[in-house]
Amino acid sequence: MQNILITGGAGFIGSHVVRLFVKTYPGSTIVNIDNLTYAGNLLNLKDVEQESNYRFIKGDIADRDQVFPLFEKYGFDTVLHLAAESHVDRSIANPMAFVHTNVLGTVNLLNATRHLWKGQYQGKRFYHVSTDEVYGSLGEEGLFTETTAYDPRSPYSASKASSDHFVRAYHHTYGLPVVISNCSNNYGPNQFPEKLIPLFINNIIHKKPLPVYGKGENVRDWLYVEEHAEALDLVLRKGKVGETYNIGGHNEWKNIDLVRLLCKIMDKKLGRAPGTSEGLVTYVRDRAGHDLRYAIDASKLQNELGWKPSLKFEEGLDKTADWYLSNEEWLRQVTSGDYLHYYREQYQDR
Ligand code: NAD
Ligand code: DAU
């Protein structure tokens, strides 16, 4: 890997991946293209922005006039594609943005890659980072495997499923050397406070209501973001071309149980009486089409590439809470301006 393109590197997972790659591959050039939507934040990469093997390009992955010249200029041999619109609630409010970035953006990148590589695929990889949500929703039993039929149920997951299909189609039709992984819910530092864990941490800090959707009985499988970044690095290097790998946390939690644990951790850290934060829990109108349960069978990754997560959830949540408490300025910046409007629109009538 000489010239690596990472898309969406200013976002939550992308910024952890950029940091890992800049440090792990000092002899490679790592280019991060990100158009800095509300979710992209260059503060996430302050500690690596001066590194000599790192470049940042502000650009839209769906714009051919920006993407094709970039590929010509750097001659990428590796593309690690994370850029996306990623929040389910926003996809319910505005599906078109998800079609633009997740579908058109992915196809534009595939076209630019194909145009550059011109059938010379030795040592090349296009790695598409996807989600377990493409598999739909589980009942109380069972796990998603790599062969589970796609059944996306939100505009977000439909757009990610579409992008996965395009990536596979480019492999089958043009032989493009692709790899895909589908991961469960990530959590950790730098996650935008629209997602459950950082939103609730922020609300707890400010003693605001904690809006639990429905009865809080939905189940998610949580993975610490740095562990996901490590798995991505491994799959990129060792994964077989044309294959899909599920990545998961072996860590299923009912939302309400997770929220109770988080409240306990936060009360301790903030020096508040036990039960204070749990008193903020407010059950609100459910998310439309809310998937009941996601859970990943990641045995293929473990058996073939020897990877499994090791961080305990309590420890990961503890580290996450510490990060938000010691990065108040980051939190303050991302929760001002447009965020206030978003928050009102999302939650006022719930
Ligand atoms: P995020 O929303 O935090 O970051 C997305 C980044 O993409 C932002 O920096 C944004 O500015 C950038 N971006 C958006 N549209 C763009 C465009 N048109 N051109 C260039 N850049 C653009 O997302 P995340 O949570 O870090 O997720 C990253 C990837 O991982 C996504 O593909 C997502 O589907 C996938 N994923 C996320 C999770 C999770 O729990 N967060 C789990 C599994 C898979
Ligand atoms: O499974 C992987 C997916 O996980 C990723 O592909 C998505 O990008 C990521 O956003 C995440 O999707 P979820 O919808 O599961 O994450 P979110 O944090 O939005 O919600 C987690 C659970 O918490 C879900 O059941 C909805 C619930 N929830 C969420 C919010 C924001 C609440 O009860 N209240 C809330 O305010």
Side-chain angles (χ1 to χ4, degrees):
M1 299 190 291
Q2 291 279 299
N3 298 310
I4 305 171
L5 177 67
I6 298 180
T7 73
F12 166 48
I13 303 173
S15 60
H16 289 274
V17 172
V18 166
R19 180 173 302 103
L20 179 69
F21 274 57
V22 166
K23 293 190 170 147
T24 311
Y25 304 110
S28 305
T29 301
I30 287 123
V31 178
N32 168 17
I33 182 172
D34 196 302
N35 68 345
L36 302 180
T37 67
Y38 76 92
N41 188 343
L42 289 178
L43 281 179
N44 293 346
L45 291 165
K46 262 263 158 281
D47 57 326
V48 296
E49 69 185 12
Q50 300 301 335
E51 298 294 339
S52 58
N53 63 337
Y54 173 66
R55 314 266 185 288
F56 173 71
I57 309 290
K58 184 175 180 332
D60 180 352
I61 57 160
D63 183 346
R64 186 190 163 99
D65 295 341
Q66 293 182 48
V67 168
F68 275 61
L70 192 70
F71 274 68
E72 289 296 338
K73 179 171 176 189
Y74 287 98
F76 301 117
D77 49 42
T78 306
V79 178
L80 181 43
H81 174 35
L82 294 111
E85 287 292 336
S86 69
H87 190 40
V88 174
D89 292 325
R90 288 187 195 251
S91 82
I92 294 168
N94 178 18
M96 279 312 272
F98 288 70
V99 174
H100 175 84
T101 293
N102 301 1
V103 184
L104 297 178
T106 301
V107 177
N108 192 42
L109 288 170
L110 288 165
N111 286 340
T113 306
R114 208 182 139 227
H115 180 76
L116 177 71
W117 293 349
K118 295 189 172 52
Q120 304 297 307
Y121 296 147
Q122 189 65 33
K124 314 266 180 41
R125 280 291 182 286
F126 184 102
Y127 187 161
H128 178 60
V129 177
S130 193
T131 170
D132 61 358
E133 297 197 15
V134 298
Y135 298 122
S137 180
L138 292 163
E140 310 235 314
E141 297 289 311
L143 300 170
F144 296 133
T145 72
E146 287 81 358
T147 55
T148 300
Y150 274 33
D151 181 24
R153 294 147 48 100
S154 73
Y156 163 67
S157 54
S159 69
K160 290 297 289 188
S162 172
S163 65
D164 293 10
H165 288 320
F166 270 105
V167 172
R168 285 197 187 97
Y170 273 60
H171 174 64
H172 290 290
T173 308
Y174 308 115
L176 207 74
V178 309
V179 179
I180 300 179
S181 56
N182 296 82
C183 188
S184 62
N185 287 59
N186 284 218
Y187 71 102
N190 307 92
Q191 188 170 31
F192 192 79
E194 62 188 351
K195 309 280 163 65
L196 180 73
I197 291 178
L199 186 141
F200 278 31
I201 289 176
N202 186 45
N203 284 13
I204 289 171
I205 293 172
H206 296 100
K207 297 189 175 161
K208 281 172 58 177
L210 305 177
V212 173
Y213 295 165
K215 294 182 177 151
E217 282 173 354
N218 305 67
V219 175
R220 298 293 184 264
D221 170 10
W222 295 92
L223 177 67
Y224 193 67
V225 63
E226 287 178 357
E227 296 203 296
H228 186 194
E230 281 160 16
L232 292 176
D233 177 33
L234 178 70
V235 173
L236 177 62
R237 285 182 293 108
K238 301 273 171 66
K240 284 200 204 110
V241 167
E243 292 286 319
T244 295
Y245 297 86
N246 279 353
I247 306 176
H250 299 289
N251 181 35
E252 286 184 53
W253 283 77
K254 243 184 210 172
N255 289 341
I256 189 62
D257 295 336
L258 185 164
V259 169
R260 288 193 179 118
L261 173 61
L262 183 63
C263 286
K264 214 191 266 176
I265 292 173
M266 291 298 289
D267 280 345
K268 218 186 229 169
K269 291 192 184 293
L270 292 164
R272 294 180 187 164
T276 308
S277 299
E278 211 180 309
L280 298 169
V281 167
T282 310
Y283 293 92
V284 300
R285 179 168 51 80
D286 210 351
R287 173 184 280 172
H290 197 173
D291 289 338
L292 177 67
R293 175 171 165 258
Y294 306 142
I296 282 275
D297 174 350
S299 55
K300 177 175 174 182
L301 183 58
Q302 184 169 350
N303 295 339
E304 290 188 14
L305 305 185
W307 185 88
K308 65 174 174 85
S310 57
L311 189 71
K312 286 210 177 68
F313 191 45
E314 285 77 356
E315 234 175 278
L317 267 188
D318 200 82
K319 277 157 70 116
T320 305
D322 280 344
W323 187 85
Y324 283 93
L325 288 169
S326 54
N327 286 273
E328 264 178 75
E329 178 53 20
W330 184 95
L331 199 51
R332 202 189 51 73
Q333 280 198 18
V334 302
T335 54
S336 59
D338 287 351
Y339 181 81
L340 297 173
H341 176 70
Y342 163 78
Y343 199 87
R344 251 195 320 275
E345 291 285 304
Q346 250 334 296
Y347 293 98
Q348 71 182 354
D349 295 328
R350 276 204 128 96

